Amino acid sequence: DGGITQSPKYLFRKEGQNVTLSCEQNLNHDAMYWYRQDPGQGLRLIYYSQIVNDFQKGDIAEGYSVSREKKESFPLTVTSAQKNPTAFYLCATLGPSYLAHSYNEQFFGPGTRLTVL
Amino acid sequence: GQQVMQIPQYQHVQEGEDFTTYCNSSTTLSNIQWYKQRPGGHPVFLIQLVKSGEVKKQKRLTFQFGEAKKNSSLHITATQTTDVGTYFCAWPFSGTYKYIFGTGTRLKVLA
C-alpha cells in the first residue's frame, strides 16, 4: 500500500518455528521500521534501519532479527525465542524532509497478522 | 519499552458530537505527529506540528501543540461515522530516527 508491500497478509505458524515476514518498498526511502501491535494496543518498535547494512534495536527486539541488505527490503524474522509472537506486524518507511528543520512522516504497509498455534 | 499514554483510551460518541484526544510528554518535543488507523487497517499520517502553540486545521479536525511543546491535542468537530478508528500521536526520540507512538485513542461513533 502506498509503495510498501507486506506479505502475506495472514500467516499461521506452529509454536517453535521461525518465520520471516516480508517488507518491500519502492518509495526510495532510506529508513525503514518494524512495529508490533497487539489488540487494542499502540505501536511498539521492534527494529529500525536508517540505511542499508545498518539497523538498530527498538524497544522490544528480543526474539526478533532483521537484515537490510537492500534499500528496498527489510525482512523481519520472528524466532522461536519470541515468547508471544501472535500479533499484527507493521512495516514502515520514513519519508524525506522537504524543508530545512522539518521532519518526516512515516508510511506504513498493510501489515501481516501472525498467529502462532 | 517506551510508550506514551493518550487520554482517553476509548471514546464512544453519538454522531454529531465533538471528540478530543490528548497526548502528553514529560519532555519537550521537537515536533509531534498524528496518525489515524481505521479498524483492520494501518496507520496513516494526518499532520505534523513543529512550532510552540501551533494550531492546524483539516476540515473538522483541529490539531494543537502546547506552548511548552510537551502536549498536543486532536479535536474533531461534529463527528461522523467515517471518523471511526484509532488516533495515535508520535514523535522522534531525542534527535534519532526512532519514533515513539502513543497508546492511541479508539473512537467509536454511534449513528
Side-chain angles (χ1 to χ4, degrees):
Chain A
D1 190 47
I4 301 173
T5 304
Q6 289 186 248
S7 61
K9 188 172 182 179
Y10 299 95
L11 189 56
F12 297 88
R13 279 295 181 269
K14 291 184 179 179
E15 194 171 349
Q17 289 182 333
N18 290 359
V19 60
T20 297
L21 279 57
S22 167
C23 178
E24 301 283 330
Q25 58 113 347
N26 61 7
L27 300 171
N28 201 35
H29 291 167
D30 287 314
M32 297 186 73
Y33 301 77
W34 274 105
Y35 292 93
R36 171 180 171 143
Q37 187 174 34
D38 293 283
Q41 302 287 319
L43 305 177
R44 292 187 291 169
L45 182 64
I46 306 172
Y47 269 97
Y48 65 105
S49 169
Q50 294 176 218
I51 201 165
V52 175
N53 293 322
D54 183 59
F55 50 82
Q56 286 81 39
K57 292 182 179 180
D59 297 319
I60 56 165
E62 186 175 350
Y64 299 97
S65 66
V66 294
S67 63
R68 188 82 189 279
E69 297 175 1
K70 298 187 299 180
K71 188 175 187 177
E72 301 79 19
S73 179
F74 191 38
L76 173 74
T77 297
V78 185
T79 75
S80 56
Q82 169 51 230
K83 295 181 180 179
N84 186 17
T86 294
F88 186 43
Y89 291 87
L90 287 158
C91 176
T93 66
L94 190 65
S97 294
Y98 292 99
L99 301 170
H101 306 298
S102 71
Y103 292 84
N104 314 345
E105 67 180 87
Q106 291 192 52
F107 296 83
F108 285 84
T112 293
R113 293 191 185 275
L114 173 65
T115 302
V116 175
L117 307 170
Chain B
Q2 281 184 291
Q3 276 203 307
V4 174
M5 189 63 69
Q6 284 179 239
I7 302 169
Q9 191 174 4
Y10 300 97
Q11 184 89 58
H12 294 185
V13 299
Q14 286 292 137
E15 190 173 20
E17 291 182 339
D18 292 356
F19 159 77
T20 305
T21 174
Y22 301 90
C23 189
N24 297 306
S25 167
S26 57
T27 59
T28 302
L29 307 174
S30 56
N31 72 88
I32 194 163
Q33 300 176 346
W34 286 91
Y35 292 79
K36 176 183 178 180
Q37 183 178 24
R38 294 183 185 275
H42 58 276
V44 175
F45 176 82
L46 293 176
I47 207 159
Q48 175 175 283
L49 304 171
V50 179
K51 299 177 183 177
S52 169
E54 189 170 14
V55 177
K56 286 189 176 180
K57 292 191 175 184
Q58 289 180 351
K59 297 184 180 178
R60 294 178 295 104
L61 277 61
T62 302
F63 304 84
Q64 287 190 303
F65 202 8
E67 292 290 341
K69 299 182 76 173
K70 289 185 176 182
N71 56 75
S72 181
S73 65
L74 158 58
H75 179 82
I76 303 178
T77 303
T79 54
Q80 299 175 357
T81 54
T82 53
D83 296 324
V84 164
T86 302
Y87 293 85
F88 294 99
C89 60
W91 61 78
F93 179 73
S94 194
T96 71
Y97 278 70
K98 178 180 175 180
Y99 276 72
I100 307 295
F101 275 78
T103 49
T105 295
R106 184 181 296 180
L107 172 65
K108 286 193 175 182
V109 179
L110 307 172

